[in-house]
Amino acid sequence: GALFASYVMLRVGATSWPRGATYLNIPLATLNTVVLISSSVTMVLAWASLVKQDFSRFRLFMGITILCGLAFLVIKFFEYSAKFHHGYLPSTNTFLAIYFTLTGLHMLHVIGGMAVNAYFWGPGAKLWKTNPEWFTNRVEHSGLFWHFVDLVWIFLFPTLYLL
């Protein structure tokens, strides 16, 4: 919230502000938006599979969720690489400084969510055998975090790329 507020204050107070389209790849960001929304769907399907006592479907959908997170990071890597190749660095201007700060922090949250989801997909899954209700609740909490991270992107995408 503070970073969004900082962005708004910097943009409103600036005498001139570069458009995001000048520096940013809108098609790649749109693809990333589709990937993250899809990952939210698969996260819900993973949790719903546990509620229905179908552990193998949970593994499938949680694996797809983790892969979607990885796809997001790979796409963002190519986007960042292109910016660095063209000399668009955080030190170039205030817009790029806040862009790299906001998207970099978002990527850290994606990585954190992927780590927790991968734990539940892998070694943490043994809790399913001993206490399936707790396991299902923990996956639900992980899903809430994942949806929050996706929701943040839903605000970042139009704010940085389209406005």
Side-chain angles (χ1 to χ4, degrees):
L3 289 173
F4 272 109
S6 297
Y7 174 81
V8 169
M9 296 298 289
L10 288 168
R11 185 164 182 181
V12 169
T15 55
S16 66
W17 192 262
R19 291 210 50 203
T22 305
Y23 300 103
L24 306 180
N25 188 326
I26 294 172
L28 277 183
T30 303
L31 177 61
N32 255 346
T33 302
V34 170
V35 166
L36 281 183
I37 291 171
S38 299
S39 76
S40 273
V41 171
T42 59
M43 187 73 209
V44 169
L45 292 172
W47 170 78
S49 297
L50 291 176
V51 171
K52 293 179 180 181
Q53 306 289 316
D54 191 345
F55 187 75
S56 62
R57 286 187 59 85
F58 158 77
R59 296 283 299 244
L60 170 70
F61 288 122
M62 184 61 89
I64 293 170
T65 302
I66 295 164
L67 289 174
C68 284
L70 182 62
F72 176 86
L73 295 174
V74 167
I75 293 166
K76 189 52 80 177
F77 170 79
F78 282 111
E79 191 179 356
Y80 271 26
S81 295
K83 282 174 195 42
F84 294 150
H85 177 74
H86 290 99
Y88 299 149
L89 305 171
S91 60
T92 302
N93 58 39
T94 304
F95 172 77
L96 286 173
I98 201 152
Y99 164 80
F100 282 111
T101 301
L102 287 169
T103 58
L105 186 59
H106 182 261
M107 285 192 304
L108 289 175
H109 283 84
V110 169
I111 292 167
M114 286 173 59
V116 171
N117 288 340
Y119 172 76
F120 288 133
W121 185 83
K126 64 185 170 192
L127 182 59
W128 174 256
K129 292 176 183 166
T130 58
N131 197 334
E133 185 179 349
W134 279 18
F135 184 74
T136 302
N137 288 339
R138 289 177 180 182
V139 169
E140 183 178 16
H141 294 141
S142 176
L144 291 172
F145 177 79
W146 192 256
H147 297 315
F148 170 75
V149 171
D150 288 352
L151 182 64
V152 169
W153 181 257
I154 296 300
F155 285 99
L156 280 175
F157 174 64
T159 302
L160 294 173
Y161 289 83
L162 303 178
L163 298 178

